Amino acid sequence: MTARPRVALFATCLVDAMRPSVGFASLRTLEAAGCDADVPLAQTCCGQPALNSGARDEAAAQARRTIALLEPYDYAVIPSGSCAATIHVHYPKILEDDPEWRPRAEALAAKTWEILSFLDQVMRWKPDGLSLSTRATYHDSCSGLRELGIKRQPRQLLGAIDGLELLPLTNDEKCCGFGGTFCVKYSAISNAIVGEKAEDITASGAELLLGGDLGCLMNMAGKLHRDGSPVRAMHAVEIIAGMGDGPAIGEDR
């Protein structure tokens, strides 16, 4: 019998602070897929905000701390395309001039996965026996799509749920306007971008908005709420974990 892979769930700051149910859903699906999942308690921010703000030294320090924490595991799995991309794509670049830490960064990068792509590509797992009667649409977040190639995988998993009708979203690959600190520094531009996204979501006819990045989902859910839209938003991993009847983003606070 093949040993169960030992997986570190890197929960992310937003999940920890704003939507813990995404973390619980991630653990549930990892265990259902045949993994021994652990949540390293010493985890902190991956360093993405520092990196995006130009604080390279601070980002490198956070990278070293995260590498040391996660490298004993078979895989590091993250319910966020942007945080996964930070480790998978950017850690080796941040530490490229460090002869000790660059190979360690590359080794961790090679076994770091966003959770939906990990479940589909590595574990070859699909949810079984789930049903959810609703019309949903899916937004492809920038980092997951462009840096990690996440497009088919979430749709493959969601397609295994009975009763879930996945409707096409116009401009599904277009940025929602979040962009981390971008939405704070350039709030007027961000609001204009998410306004167009909200119009496309409403026009899709969906009752539920799904995605793989909590920051993007919070941004879109907030705009939909301000516009008086009845469309609810949830992380896709919550749906495939059988938690689709729980509160949507913004309803649990």
PDB file of all heavy atoms in Angstrom, residues 3-5 29-36 123 125:
ATOM      1  N   ALA A   3       2.082   4.787   0.938  1.00  0.00           N
ATOM      2  CA  ALA A   3       1.934   5.591   2.149  1.00  0.00           C
ATOM      3  C   ALA A   3       1.148   6.858   1.855  1.00  0.00           C
ATOM      4  O   ALA A   3       1.243   7.434   0.771  1.00  0.00           O
ATOM      5  CB  ALA A   3       3.313   5.931   2.704  1.00  0.00           C
ATOM      6  N   ARG A   4       0.368   7.282   2.833  1.00  0.00           N
ATOM      7  CA  ARG A   4      -0.374   8.530   2.690  1.00  0.00           C
ATOM      8  C   ARG A   4       0.616   9.696   2.721  1.00  0.00           C
ATOM      9  O   ARG A   4       1.472   9.764   3.616  1.00  0.00           O
ATOM     10  CB  ARG A   4      -1.372   8.682   3.837  1.00  0.00           C
ATOM     11  CG  ARG A   4      -2.527   7.691   3.784  1.00  0.00           C
ATOM     12  CD  ARG A   4      -3.279   7.661   5.092  1.00  0.00           C
ATOM     13  NE  ARG A   4      -3.923   8.937   5.397  1.00  0.00           N
ATOM     14  CZ  ARG A   4      -5.185   9.235   5.083  1.00  0.00           C
ATOM     15  NH1 ARG A   4      -5.931   8.339   4.444  1.00  0.00           N
ATOM     16  NH2 ARG A   4      -5.712  10.396   5.419  1.00  0.00           N
ATOM     17  N   PRO A   5       0.538  10.611   1.743  1.00  0.00           N
ATOM     18  CA  PRO A   5       1.460  11.743   1.751  1.00  0.00           C
ATOM     19  C   PRO A   5       1.228  12.643   2.949  1.00  0.00           C
ATOM     20  O   PRO A   5       0.093  12.868   3.372  1.00  0.00           O
ATOM     21  CB  PRO A   5       1.132  12.463   0.438  1.00  0.00           C
ATOM     22  CG  PRO A   5      -0.248  12.030   0.089  1.00  0.00           C
ATOM     23  CD  PRO A   5      -0.391  10.638   0.604  1.00  0.00           C
ATOM     24  N   THR A  29     -11.055  18.055   2.725  1.00  0.00           N
ATOM     25  CA  THR A  29     -10.833  17.483   1.398  1.00  0.00           C
ATOM     26  C   THR A  29      -9.487  16.776   1.310  1.00  0.00           C
ATOM     27  O   THR A  29      -9.374  15.734   0.653  1.00  0.00           O
ATOM     28  CB  THR A  29     -10.929  18.558   0.308  1.00  0.00           C
ATOM     29  OG1 THR A  29      -9.998  19.622   0.579  1.00  0.00           O
ATOM     30  CG2 THR A  29     -12.329  19.151   0.233  1.00  0.00           C
ATOM     31  N   LEU A  30      -8.471  17.312   1.949  1.00  0.00           N
ATOM     32  CA  LEU A  30      -7.166  16.654   1.929  1.00  0.00           C
ATOM     33  C   LEU A  30      -7.241  15.277   2.585  1.00  0.00           C
ATOM     34  O   LEU A  30      -6.675  14.306   2.080  1.00  0.00           O
ATOM     35  CB  LEU A  30      -6.124  17.524   2.639  1.00  0.00           C
ATOM     36  CG  LEU A  30      -5.671  18.774   1.883  1.00  0.00           C
ATOM     37  CD1 LEU A  30      -4.824  19.664   2.791  1.00  0.00           C
ATOM     38  CD2 LEU A  30      -4.896  18.411   0.623  1.00  0.00           C
ATOM     39  N   GLU A  31      -7.933  15.197   3.699  1.00  0.00           N
ATOM     40  CA  GLU A  31      -8.073  13.913   4.380  1.00  0.00           C
ATOM     41  C   GLU A  31      -8.928  12.948   3.556  1.00  0.00           C
ATOM     42  O   GLU A  31      -8.623  11.752   3.470  1.00  0.00           O
ATOM     43  CB  GLU A  31      -8.669  14.141   5.767  1.00  0.00           C
ATOM     44  CG  GLU A  31      -7.688  14.846   6.703  1.00  0.00           C
ATOM     45  CD  GLU A  31      -8.332  15.340   7.985  1.00  0.00           C
ATOM     46  OE1 GLU A  31      -9.573  15.200   8.120  1.00  0.00           O
ATOM     47  OE2 GLU A  31      -7.607  15.863   8.849  1.00  0.00           O
ATOM     48  N   ALA A  32      -9.991  13.465   2.931  1.00  0.00           N
ATOM     49  CA  ALA A  32     -10.825  12.612   2.085  1.00  0.00           C
ATOM     50  C   ALA A  32     -10.045  12.093   0.876  1.00  0.00           C
ATOM     51  O   ALA A  32     -10.304  10.992   0.383  1.00  0.00           O
ATOM     52  CB  ALA A  32     -12.052  13.384   1.621  1.00  0.00           C
ATOM     53  N   ALA A  33      -9.082  12.877   0.414  1.00  0.00           N
ATOM     54  CA  ALA A  33      -8.292  12.491  -0.747  1.00  0.00           C
ATOM     55  C   ALA A  33      -7.177  11.512  -0.405  1.00  0.00           C
ATOM     56  O   ALA A  33      -6.480  11.024  -1.306  1.00  0.00           O
ATOM     57  CB  ALA A  33      -7.701  13.735  -1.410  1.00  0.00           C
ATOM     58  N   GLY A  34      -6.984  11.230   0.893  1.00  0.00           N
ATOM     59  CA  GLY A  34      -5.981  10.250   1.284  1.00  0.00           C
ATOM     60  C   GLY A  34      -4.684  10.817   1.814  1.00  0.00           C
ATOM     61  O   GLY A  34      -3.649  10.137   1.795  1.00  0.00           O
ATOM     62  N   CYS A  35      -4.719  12.047   2.310  1.00  0.00           N
ATOM     63  CA  CYS A  35      -3.519  12.684   2.843  1.00  0.00           C
ATOM     64  C   CYS A  35      -3.543  12.711   4.366  1.00  0.00           C
ATOM     65  O   CYS A  35      -4.611  12.735   4.981  1.00  0.00           O
ATOM     66  CB  CYS A  35      -3.408  14.130   2.348  1.00  0.00           C
ATOM     67  SG  CYS A  35      -3.380  14.313   0.556  1.00  0.00           S
ATOM     68  N   ASP A  36      -2.369  12.718   4.963  1.00  0.00           N
ATOM     69  CA  ASP A  36      -2.222  13.045   6.375  1.00  0.00           C
ATOM     70  C   ASP A  36      -1.911  14.534   6.445  1.00  0.00           C
ATOM     71  O   ASP A  36      -0.796  14.964   6.137  1.00  0.00           O
ATOM     72  CB  ASP A  36      -1.094  12.232   7.012  1.00  0.00           C
ATOM     73  CG  ASP A  36      -1.489  10.783   7.236  1.00  0.00           C
ATOM     74  OD1 ASP A  36      -2.697  10.516   7.388  1.00  0.00           O
ATOM     75  OD2 ASP A  36      -0.596   9.915   7.250  1.00  0.00           O
ATOM     76  N   MET A 123      -3.510  14.139  -6.452  1.00  0.00           N
ATOM     77  CA  MET A 123      -4.262  13.081  -5.765  1.00  0.00           C
ATOM     78  C   MET A 123      -5.288  12.401  -6.677  1.00  0.00           C
ATOM     79  O   MET A 123      -5.812  11.334  -6.327  1.00  0.00           O
ATOM     80  CB  MET A 123      -4.962  13.647  -4.528  1.00  0.00           C
ATOM     81  CG  MET A 123      -4.007  14.234  -3.501  1.00  0.00           C
ATOM     82  SD  MET A 123      -2.666  13.116  -3.002  1.00  0.00           S
ATOM     83  CE  MET A 123      -3.569  11.781  -2.218  1.00  0.00           C
ATOM     84  N   TRP A 125      -8.317  13.115  -7.237  1.00  0.00           N
ATOM     85  CA  TRP A 125      -9.481  12.944  -6.381  1.00  0.00           C
ATOM     86  C   TRP A 125     -10.652  13.780  -6.886  1.00  0.00           C
ATOM     87  O   TRP A 125     -10.464  14.854  -7.460  1.00  0.00           O
ATOM     88  CB  TRP A 125      -9.128  13.366  -4.957  1.00  0.00           C
ATOM     89  CG  TRP A 125     -10.261  13.316  -3.978  1.00  0.00           C
ATOM     90  CD1 TRP A 125     -10.696  12.233  -3.274  1.00  0.00           C
ATOM     91  CD2 TRP A 125     -11.108  14.406  -3.581  1.00  0.00           C
ATOM     92  NE1 TRP A 125     -11.756  12.573  -2.463  1.00  0.00           N
ATOM     93  CE2 TRP A 125     -12.025  13.910  -2.628  1.00  0.00           C
ATOM     94  CE3 TRP A 125     -11.171  15.757  -3.933  1.00  0.00           C
ATOM     95  CZ2 TRP A 125     -13.000  14.712  -2.022  1.00  0.00           C
ATOM     96  CZ3 TRP A 125     -12.133  16.563  -3.354  1.00  0.00           C
ATOM     97  CH2 TRP A 125     -13.042  16.038  -2.403  1.00  0.00           C
TER      98      TRP A 125
END
